[in-house]
């Protein structure tokens, strides 16, 4: 579960046929410095499926996810608390993504189920087609995606 997507040649090959183009850039660059400073002060860092902290993040509520240009699937919590939303740009420190969105995941200790997933990201505004890359990334990391409720945001 801790392997990164880019280290698995089979995964890389299957993604290379479906990598969306163009990549999605931050649509709110003027706020990036403040977003990163706030996340750093709060100790927010993106994690991979199964890494230390992943179970806590998914079981606290909605997560924001992104597939990086290096084909890594990373997640952060959507909210730190009711007053502090964490932005997608924190995941990649403002760098473009191949896919991004929000998800609800339950589970622990390597057994995870994707309940809902969307391509909702105001900062990156990914296409609905890119959501398939996200679903595939979660599945490749051992998350059960079979019964997930999929929401396409245009």
């Amino acid at each position: 579960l801790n392997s990164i997507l880019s280290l698995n040649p089979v995964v890389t090959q299957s993604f290379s046929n479906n990598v969306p183009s163009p990549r999605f850039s931050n649509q709110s660059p003027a706020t990036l410095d403040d977003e990163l400073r706030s996340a750093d002060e709060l100790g927010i860092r993106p994690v991979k499926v199964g890494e230390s902290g992943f179970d806590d993040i998914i079981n606290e509520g909605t997560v924001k996810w992104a597939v990086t240009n290096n084909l890594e699937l990373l997640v952060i919590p959507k909210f730190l608390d009711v007053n502090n939303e964490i932005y997608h740009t924190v995941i990649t420190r403002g760098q473009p993504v191949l896919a991004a969105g929000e998800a609800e995941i339950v589970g622990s200790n390597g057994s995870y189920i994707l309940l809902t997933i969307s391509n909702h990201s105001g900062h990156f505004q990914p296409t609905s087609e890119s959501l398939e890359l996200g679903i595939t990334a979660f599945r490749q990391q051992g998350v059960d995606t079979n019964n997930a409720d999929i929401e396409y945001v245009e």
Side-chain angles (χ1 to χ4, degrees):
L1 286 177
N2 288 326
S3 66
I4 54 178
L5 297 172
S6 59
L7 293 181
N8 184 333
V10 174
V11 173
T12 301
Q13 180 61 38
S14 67
F15 279 176
S16 67
N17 296 331
N18 299 312
V19 171
S21 180
R23 289 169 169 82
F24 305 101
S25 297
N26 179 13
Q27 300 301 302
S28 303
T31 59
L32 180 62
D33 288 342
D34 289 338
E35 294 162 1
L36 295 179
R37 184 171 31 268
S38 176
D40 290 345
E41 289 171 0
L42 296 169
I44 303 301
R45 67 172 187 84
V47 298
K48 299 173 189 168
V49 173
E51 266 187 350
S52 176
F54 180 78
D55 291 5
D56 294 334
I57 291 171
I58 64 166
N59 289 306
E60 289 174 3
T62 303
V63 298
K64 293 189 176 185
W65 61 269
V67 177
T68 70
N69 288 330
N70 294 327
L71 298 174
E72 290 182 303
L73 172 65
L74 299 171
V75 302
I76 57 171
K78 180 175 181 176
F79 294 104
L80 183 63
D81 57 44
V82 294
N83 297 316
N84 291 302
E85 181 172 356
I86 304 163
Y87 299 97
H88 272 103
T89 49
V90 170
I91 298 173
T92 61
R93 312 268 324 152
Q95 296 300 306
V97 299
L98 298 177
E102 297 182 357
E104 298 277 342
I105 306 166
V106 295
S108 64
N109 300 319
S111 179
Y112 306 109
I113 299 170
L114 183 67
L115 301 177
T116 64
I117 189 168
S118 77
N119 60 306
H120 177 73
S121 170
H123 279 70
F124 289 115
Q125 300 177 4
T127 61
S128 57
E129 293 83 10
S130 71
L131 184 52
E132 296 303 322
L133 182 65
I135 295 167
T136 299
F138 276 107
R139 185 179 310 114
Q140 292 290 338
Q141 292 300 301
V143 177
D144 180 349
T145 62
N146 292 329
N147 296 307
D149 180 23
I150 302 168
E151 178 187 355
Y152 296 96
V153 177
E154 293 297 330

